[in-house]
Amino acid sequence: MKVGIVGVGCSKFGQRDVTIQELAFEAVSEALKDANLSQEDVELSVVGCVGTRGYELMPAVVVNEYCGFAGKGPLRVEAACATGSAAIYSAYSSIKAGIVDIAIAIGVEKMTEVDTATSAAIGGRAGNYLWEHHFYGTTFPAYYAMHATAHMARFGTTEKQMAMVAVKAHRNAMKNSKAHFQKEIVVEDVLNSRIIAYPLKLYDCSPISDGASAAILASEKMITEHGWDPIWIESIGFSSDTSNMTMREDFVGLKATKLAAEMAYKRAKIEDPLKSFDFATVHDCFTIAEIMAYEDLGFCRKGEGGKFIENGESDFGGKIPVNTFGGLKGKGHPLAATGIAMVYEVTKQLREEAGKLQVDLKHYKALTHNVGGTGHFCWVFIFGR
Amino acid sequence: MIIESRELRLKHRIPVVKTEKFWKGLEGGRVYKTICKCGRSYYPPRADCICGNQTEWVEITGKGVVECFTVVYSMPSGYEWSKPYRIVVARFGDVRVMGWSEEDVFVGDEVSLYTAKDGSGIWKIWFRKG
Ligand SMILES: [Zn+2]
């Protein structure tokens, strides 16, 4: 029994002065309309939310009620920045197991209800509080910054190459009405922005955004009955890594990405990702993260990620366009919303509804790569139409 | 219109009973890892090996090599008292240790570790060159 995506929705990302439930409803109502369904048709709701930064600490029931799903779950999931993918997986699994035929995965995050220092202290706990943040004040940018210094030292990757990831993200985000950032930047803007955690500067970091996204999944049987033209979930790969960064073997990549990609590729019989996918969405919470993702997903060899962006291989017309929607860097990264927002963007592309950001499709196949924390969780999904 | 929530203050009580040797060690200038007869080494130290045995405490000594670092300028709450700080991860044999450094150490540098209180009065690990 195959499982497909039959409806998607996504709120505008950015500082959004609405409550978490109102924000979630923006995405849910768009997804229901997209699938031509009403709440009664949905049998299970999964609510992904990292939480803590919003005033509702246990938001699943609040979101569920407001969206009209009281009685249909909710199943709350949390996998740091990969929460959205974990929500999709939960909905997928329930359908695959034959428990339900139609499920909705909702990802929602209010990031702007606390101040930046508090947000940094919460994000810095996305690892191991006791042994790392407690003593050393690790922050989310700091964790990726440490990977950046290791990558620069080993492979000669430059701050300028990292800046190019941000420039590409902003250029694409400008054409995406849902994106947080709507302004073009140049390499110098990135290099001259203030340091957050050396070598990462303000423009190397995804912004602090509110946002929500939703995807409705259905069984093959239901898809046939409704006559939907779905995006099929062809393969799922997942992995994780140690909570303590000091327990990792190296800092020039994310092992969880490599393992999740291997699993997803093997299940979908993908031998060469460059020859199999029309485009990819990868987890670019920081510019160095996108560079490492090129390598860990097999788009280039380890250490060549800097050259990959520099040579335009991840841009429109390159070997594999990456984050054509603006990425987390340009569109925004409301933690739990991110993974499902990737699915939203992939669905629009594969349906050839991406407007000015449309990629030429040959294989009608794409992947999403969603990382939680610093490789603490990783999900790789392969979609096809 | 924006309203404010009622304040919620979170400060947790953390039991470090099973790793007390480590916490006491910091105050005496010693940093410990744990090892198990099954061959596993742990840093951060833990009393329980995943194999089911109890581990033994071993001091980390000698030189380490820096594998990565950063300097945090955008500080999280709880660190308001600090100037920008350098976080370093260095490898000491079969374990990797995180610490702060007041010296400008870079990837590949040889370092040794020591313990001292930070500006908030917490004992922790620091690195110096050589
Ligand atoms: Zn053992």
Side-chain angles (χ1 to χ4, degrees):
Chain A
M1 173 73 74
K2 293 199 290 181
V3 177
I5 306 283
V6 299
V8 288
C10 186
S11 76
K12 164 102 169 73
F13 286 4
Q15 178 171 334
R16 297 295 317 279
D17 286 337
V18 290
T19 64
I20 191 167
Q21 58 268 39
E22 291 162 348
L23 188 58
F25 188 63
E26 290 180 22
V28 167
S29 54
E30 186 187 345
L32 286 169
K33 197 171 160 209
D34 187 42
N36 197 23
L37 290 178
S38 64
Q39 281 88 344
E40 299 84 75
D41 304 311
V42 176
E43 297 164 277
L44 171 71
S45 79
V46 182
V47 179
C49 185
V50 175
T52 311
R53 289 175 177 88
Y55 71 88
E56 286 289 4
L57 295 185
M58 281 151 273
V61 288
V62 178
V63 166
N64 212 46
E65 172 206 287
Y66 198 86
C67 294
F69 295 123
K72 316 258 172 136
L75 175 62
R76 182 187 175 174
V77 297
E78 184 277 311
C81 324
T83 296
S85 291
I88 298 263
Y89 183 75
S90 302
Y92 170 89
S93 304
S94 300
I95 295 170
K96 200 85 175 160
I99 301 165
V100 296
D101 281 304
I102 300 180
I104 188 165
I106 305 166
V108 61
E109 210 71 50
K110 284 298 306 263
M111 305 280 288
T112 63
E113 291 175 8
V114 292
D115 60 69
T116 303
T118 303
S119 188
I122 295 166
R125 282 159 165 83
N128 192 302
Y129 170 81
L130 182 61
W131 296 104
E132 296 188 349
H133 184 85
H134 179 75
F135 287 114
Y136 308 113
T138 44
T139 59
F140 188 39
Y143 278 117
Y144 274 96
M146 287 191 269
H147 285 76
T149 56
H151 207 275
M152 290 162 79
R154 175 100 57 99
F155 304 117
T157 306
T158 64
E159 290 178 63
K160 196 175 165 193
Q161 289 168 334
M162 289 186 240
M164 288 172 180
V165 174
V167 170
K168 170 173 73 70
H170 276 250
R171 194 167 54 233
N172 293 341
M174 272 181 65
K175 296 179 190 137
N176 183 346
S177 60
K178 308 268 186 181
H180 186 152
F181 286 130
Q182 300 285 344
K183 86 173 176 181
E184 194 148 10
I185 56 168
V186 294
V187 164
E188 286 67 33
D189 294 324
V190 185
L191 297 177
N192 295 331
S193 60
R194 69 185 164 89
I195 305 174
I196 300 297
Y198 174 85
L200 301 180
K201 295 157 292 291
L202 183 66
Y203 279 130
D204 285 297
C205 309
S206 52
I208 297 175
S209 320
D210 302 319
S213 52
I216 299 171
L217 286 71
S219 65
E220 191 177 10
K221 182 182 115 218
M222 203 55 85
I223 286 168
T224 311
E225 272 177 32
H226 273 75
W228 277 309
D229 177 11
I231 302 303
W232 296 105
I233 299 175
E234 296 194 343
S235 176
I236 294 180
F238 55 87
S239 191
S240 60
D241 209 338
T242 59
S243 72
N244 280 290
M245 185 171 153
T246 52
M247 293 178 78
R248 310 275 178 90
E249 286 150 30
D250 71 56
F251 308 105
V252 295
L254 299 178
K255 194 163 101 183
T257 297
K258 271 185 276 182
L259 295 175
E262 265 171 35
M263 187 193 290
Y265 292 175
K266 196 175 166 199
R267 288 177 173 181
K269 300 186 172 63
I270 303 287
E271 276 167 20
D272 181 353
L274 296 181
K275 293 198 178 97
S276 311
F277 303 118
D278 294 307
F279 62 96
T281 72
V282 311
H283 198 89
D284 63 325
C285 46
F286 299 94
T287 52
I288 184 64
E290 180 163 323
I291 288 174
M292 294 194 299
Y294 300 152
E295 302 166 356
D296 296 336
L297 292 167
F299 301 166
C300 62
R301 282 205 294 266
K302 186 46 72 188
E304 292 176 355
K307 282 267 175 277
F308 201 76
I309 177 77
E310 194 176 316
N311 295 339
E313 305 294 11
S314 54
D315 213 334
F316 286 88
K319 282 181 181 158
I320 182 163
V322 173
N323 291 343
T324 53
F325 64 100
L328 285 55
K329 170 62 204 124
K331 185 184 177 186
H333 180 28
L335 314 182
T338 291
I340 302 173
M342 288 177 170
V343 175
Y344 173 89
E345 301 293 350
V346 164
T347 300
K348 294 285 174 188
Q349 283 283 359
L350 291 178
R351 286 179 185 165
E352 299 178 297
E353 291 173 359
K356 286 180 194 157
L357 294 167
Q358 186 61 49
V359 176
D360 292 329
L361 301 177
K362 203 164 73 184
H363 312 286
Y364 289 85
K365 222 181 263 294
L367 75 77
T368 63
H369 161 248
N370 189 196
V371 177
T374 320
H376 294 100
F377 304 87
C378 185
W379 295 89
V380 173
F381 293 166
I382 296 173
F383 297 96
R385 181 168 170 229
Chain B
M1 187 170 96
I2 305 286
I3 62 163
E4 276 195 346
S5 71
R6 291 189 188 276
E7 190 169 346
L8 174 66
R9 205 170 150 271
L10 292 171
K11 193 157 187 157
H12 304 89
R13 185 183 152 266
I14 305 177
V16 291
V17 179
K18 292 187 92 168
T19 51
E20 197 163 299
K21 185 150 177 97
F22 176 85
W23 299 84
K24 290 273 167 65
L26 288 179
E27 295 174 22
R30 294 172 193 279
V31 176
Y32 292 96
K33 63 179 178 179
T34 56
I35 60 165
C36 178
K37 37 182 188 291
C38 76
R40 291 184 174 91
S41 296
Y42 293 103
Y43 188 88
R46 46 185 281 173
D48 311 295
C49 181
I50 56 167
C51 78
N53 289 327
Q54 289 298 293
T55 56
E56 289 164 44
W57 294 85
V58 177
E59 194 180 345
I60 300 172
T61 55
K63 307 283 184 201
V65 178
V66 174
E67 293 196 336
C68 62
F69 73 95
T70 183
V71 186
V72 176
Y73 286 83
S74 183
M75 261 97 70
S77 66
Y79 284 82
E80 297 83 357
W81 50 272
S82 182
K83 59 181 197 290
Y85 47 84
R86 195 181 204 87
I87 309 174
V88 175
V89 174
R91 182 176 182 165
F92 289 80
D94 59 358
V95 292
R96 289 171 177 84
V97 179
M98 188 179 279
W100 274 14
S101 175
E102 294 205 296
E103 294 176 29
D104 290 347
V105 297
F106 297 95
V107 177
D109 284 355
E110 198 167 77
V111 290
S112 51
L113 55 77
Y114 63 99
T115 71
K117 278 186 186 175
D118 67 18
S120 68
I122 287 181
W123 283 93
K124 67 209 269 176
I125 297 163
W126 301 76
F127 297 115
R128 65 164 70 92
K129 262 189 223 167

